[in-house]
Amino acid sequence: MLQMENVNVHFGAQTALDNFSFNFEPNHIYSLIGPNGCGKSTFMKAAAGLLKNYTGNVLYCGQKVRTAERSKIAYLPTHPVYYRYMSVDDMGAFYEEFFPDFSRSEYNSMIAFFGLNPKQKLYGMSTGMVAKVRVSATLSRNADVILLDEPINGIDMMGQEQVWQIIKSINLDGKAIIISSHMLDQLEGVCDYVVMMNAGRVIFHGDMAQLRVQYKMSVSELYRMIYAQYFQAMAMRGGMMQ
C-alpha cells in the first residue's frame, strides 16, 4: 500500500533516512519506534509527500506520491500549524474546505468527546488542548493512510486514553495507520505491528502478538533488548552497525 524503496534523505552532512525500505500494508496499525533522531519524523514527511530532495521511491499503491496520491494520506505533524484567528470551529471549517474526505460531523463528535469548546480560540489554548483539536481534525479524514507523528505529545493522561480509544474504533478495512511515539507501553494495546528504526533504517519489525509468543516477553521488553544489543554492536565496531 505505502511502499518505501531505498529512500535516502540528507540534511547537509546529516543522514536522516539511509536506504529506508519497508512496505506498509492495509488493515494494520503500525507502531514506528526508535530513539530521538532515528528518522521517524523524516519518514513521516517523506511518506506524506512533503519532501522533494530525496532518492529512492515513495509509492502509494504503486504510484509515486504526488498531488493525487497525497489526497489519500492524512498526516499529523509534531508541530502545530494553524492561523492565530482560528477557533476550534474554524479548524474544522479549514479542513472541510481543503480535504474532500473530511467529515465535519465526526470532527464535531470528537471535539465533544474531548470536552472542548468549539468557539474557543486555538491561540489561547494549552498545548494539550490544541493537540486534541489537531488529532480530531486528522482522524476525521477518511484517508487510506493515516500518519500520526507523536499524537499524544502534551496531552494529559485521560486525554491520551481518549486518543487511543478513538484510534482503536477506526474501521481498518483498506486502511493503514502508522503511529510514531515513544510510549511503547501504550502502543502495545493499540498497534498490531511494530517497526523499529535507528540511524535512518529499519532494524527490526514484526507482528506484535507473534513476537510476544516467540520471545516470551512484551514488545517493550523486546525493544529494550534489541536496542541494547544494537548500540553495543555499534560501540564494538566504532560506528554504525551495518
Side-chain angles (χ1 to χ4, degrees):
M1 182 180 215
L2 177 65
Q3 190 170 3
M4 312 288 286
E5 296 179 342
N6 301 314
V7 178
N8 293 277
V9 177
H10 301 278
F11 299 113
Q14 178 185 356
T15 299
L17 292 181
D18 184 13
N19 283 317
F20 184 100
S21 296
F22 198 80
N23 188 21
F24 295 90
E25 298 286 356
N27 309 322
H28 290 288
I29 302 179
Y30 291 89
S31 168
L32 184 69
I33 60 175
N36 292 332
C38 72
K40 299 187 299 295
S41 292
T42 302
F43 154 76
M44 291 272 184
K45 292 173 185 175
L50 300 180
L51 294 182
K52 295 183 179 180
N53 296 324
Y54 67 87
T55 60
N57 292 311
V58 180
L59 307 172
Y60 167 78
C61 293
Q63 301 297 317
K64 283 200 171 185
V65 175
R66 297 190 175 95
T67 302
E69 290 73 29
R70 283 170 60 182
S71 67
K72 303 293 185 181
I73 300 171
Y75 168 52
L76 176 71
T78 52
H79 300 295
V81 179
Y82 57 86
Y83 296 103
R84 289 175 64 98
Y85 74 84
M86 281 185 169
S87 65
V88 176
D89 263 345
D90 291 330
M91 179 69 94
F94 179 83
Y95 267 71
E96 189 172 33
E97 180 177 357
F98 280 92
F99 300 107
D101 61 1
F102 180 78
S103 170
R104 190 66 177 271
S105 61
E106 286 192 24
Y107 176 75
N108 291 339
S109 295
M110 289 186 202
I111 292 302
F113 181 61
F114 283 123
L116 299 172
N117 178 1
K119 302 303 179 184
Q120 187 171 356
K121 297 290 186 181
L122 299 179
Y123 185 72
M125 285 182 162
S126 69
T127 300
M129 293 172 72
V130 172
K132 293 175 184 178
V133 175
R134 296 172 63 240
V135 166
S136 299
T138 304
L139 296 182
S140 293
R141 289 188 55 195
N142 187 28
D144 292 338
V145 177
I146 301 173
L147 306 168
L148 304 174
D149 197 357
E150 302 288 351
I152 60 172
N153 268 8
I155 297 180
D156 59 88
M157 184 177 66
M158 294 301 295
Q160 292 177 18
E161 293 179 359
Q162 289 175 307
V163 171
W164 300 136
Q165 185 176 340
I166 292 171
I167 291 173
K168 287 190 289 186
S169 72
I170 294 174
N171 182 358
L172 284 179
D173 187 22
K175 298 180 184 292
I177 302 175
I178 306 170
I179 306 172
S180 164
S181 177
H182 295 290
M183 303 295 186
L184 183 53
D185 290 336
Q186 295 184 25
L187 290 177
E188 282 207 58
V190 179
C191 303
D192 60 272
Y193 203 99
V194 64
V195 179
M196 300 185 189
M197 289 184 63
N198 196 62
R201 302 177 180 181
V202 174
I203 63 169
F204 188 86
H205 64 89
D207 178 275
M208 284 190 166
Q210 293 178 4
L211 291 175
R212 282 190 285 266
V213 172
Q214 180 180 350
Y215 290 93
K216 296 181 173 58
M217 62 177 69
S218 70
V219 178
S220 298
E221 292 170 331
L222 180 62
Y223 170 87
R224 295 182 182 94
M225 182 187 75
I226 287 172
Y227 279 91
Q229 294 175 349
Y230 185 91
F231 289 120
Q232 183 180 25
M234 285 178 62
M236 291 176 63
R237 294 175 183 228
M240 183 186 300
M241 184 173 70
Q242 300 299 319

